[in-house]
Amino acid sequence: MNAEDTEKSFRKLLKESGKTLRALSPADLLFVVGDFWLSTTPEGLREENGDGLVAYFELTSRGKGIQYEFGVNRIMCFPPAPEQYSAWLPALKLRCSLGYKATAEIFQLKAPVSTFGCWDKTKSKDFFDSVTNSPQFQLIKSYTHFSSGVALSECDAPWGNPEHSTKGFEWAKT
């Protein structure tokens, strides 16, 4: 599979499983995207840190007022051109997200915004445990989302460590 085909493949997986994005709970979203990541390997990605997941909780404003978004993004990074150095390399981001109304409980969280990343499939259990045990996840698991989305888009990824020294995972979220 090409990285450019991940959105189409993910939508096909959802359809074949009888699930719709609109009907997914936060746990469903995390594990469906996680299973898709674990079971597929796009071609042409860089060997180290070329395919990873970034789960996030973020306050956003996407035209529907302020919402609390939970998303799981699959980041697919391409290798650098051998003849040139660039601090940022081309990548694709498959963004899968659920949007919730921003409630008073969300603003009462010690840290309503949070990000988790995993680029090693052998450490996926720790990643899933970290996300599901977070206070943000514990709060929204009983909420009903009012928006959902899946989109593949281009982005830039750092050359080395995916958790950039000054930008963290901000580059991978929005």
Side-chain angles (χ1 to χ4, degrees), residues 30-50:
L30 178 63
F31 292 110
V32 167
V33 175
D35 286 344
F36 180 65
W37 174 61
L38 291 169
S39 65
T40 59
T41 304
E43 301 167 359
L45 302 180
R46 64 185 194 205
E47 289 183 28
E48 187 176 343
N49 300 325

Side-chain angles (χ1 to χ4, degrees), residues 46 75 77-81 84-91 155-172:
R46 64 185 194 205
I75 309 297
C77 308
F78 298 103
Q84 66 186 43
Y85 170 80
S86 175
W88 292 87
L89 300 173
C155 66
D156 291 322
W159 177 278
N161 186 349
E163 189 165 6
H164 191 265
S165 57
T166 58
K167 295 187 180 190
F169 285 120
E170 287 301 311
W171 62 270

